[in-house]
Amino acid sequence: MEIPSPNERREVLDGVVYTQPHPWPAHMRTATVLGGHLSSPFDSGWRGPGGWWILVSPGITLPDSPNVVPDLAGWRRERLPRLPDDVTISPDWVCEILAPNTRNYDQRIKKPFYAKHGVTWLWHVDPEAHVLTAHRLRNGRWHELGTWGDDDCVRIEPFDAIELPLSDLWLPADA
């Protein structure tokens, strides 16, 4: 397999190699901030229920998919009691941060891939449009839970035990 350039992220989904540009700094900031909001109450259990592993850009190995890299992913600890060096179990929750150069890939390729592999919740965060859309998998199909944006403070499955201030995810207008 050809080695990707330092400016590329390579994923192998169901035996097909996809190469995307590395995320932009604004994209990674959104992932970092969202991961921070979820990690304390859900991963660490600080001021929240705990019971999850929350990771930013984890490498996941699945059958016929040796390199899957969601922007954020979470596993309930009841399914994954300890965090192994090589994660080979589909996440319970995935979040993809949409960008102009990855939006099509995230929605057309990765969304059905996640459904096929039994991911229960999928969030798409669009920092450019200031929108978060959440889906839940039921009977193999995605069902939209809702779309929120701008300065909404929301409680969204599976992390509805806390209120999430969406304005924290967006870059300030003067940035």
Side-chain angles (χ1 to χ4, degrees), residues 73-127:
W75 292 261
R76 293 175 302 187
R77 291 190 189 189
E78 62 195 39
R79 284 187 57 239
L80 189 65
R82 68 172 193 79
L83 195 59
D85 290 336
D86 185 20
V87 179
T88 59
I89 295 174
S90 292
D92 294 292
W93 168 80
V94 165
C95 179
E96 293 292 351
I97 312 298
L98 303 179
N101 56 352
T102 62
R103 178 176 280 108
N104 185 41
Y105 173 68
D106 286 340
Q107 293 178 327
R108 289 189 55 246
I109 305 296
K110 290 183 94 174
K111 187 176 179 181
F113 173 83
Y114 292 138
K116 176 182 174 183
H117 288 274
V119 173
T120 304
W121 293 277
L122 171 63
W123 291 8
H124 283 131
V125 176
D126 189 334

Side-chain angles (χ1 to χ4, degrees), residues 7 9 28 31 35 64 109 122 164:
N7 297 323
R9 178 190 283 187
M28 289 311 300
D64 295 323
I109 305 296
L122 171 63
L164 180 63

Side-chain angles (χ1 to χ4, degrees), residues 136-151:
R136 183 179 176 123
L137 190 66
R138 289 190 185 108
N139 300 319
R141 298 193 56 195
W142 290 115
H143 296 269
E144 188 174 308
L145 297 173
T147 300
W148 303 269
D150 296 322
D151 59 355

Side-chain angles (χ1 to χ4, degrees), residues 13-99:
L13 309 180
D14 294 329
V16 178
V17 177
Y18 296 93
T19 305
Q20 301 295 325
H22 267 294
W24 298 344
H27 174 116
M28 289 311 300
R29 181 198 173 271
T30 298
T32 301
V33 170
L34 179 57
H37 276 299
L38 299 176
S39 284
S40 289
F42 293 98
D43 190 302
S44 301
W46 187 69
R47 295 187 176 178
W52 285 79
W53 299 112
I54 305 291
L55 301 175
V56 176
S57 296
I60 304 166
T61 303
L62 299 173
D64 295 323
S65 303
N67 191 35
V68 181
V69 187
D71 291 319
L72 292 121
W75 292 261
R76 293 175 302 187
R77 291 190 189 189
E78 62 195 39
R79 284 187 57 239
L80 189 65
R82 68 172 193 79
L83 195 59
D85 290 336
D86 185 20
V87 179
T88 59
I89 295 174
S90 292
D92 294 292
W93 168 80
V94 165
C95 179
E96 293 292 351
I97 312 298
L98 303 179

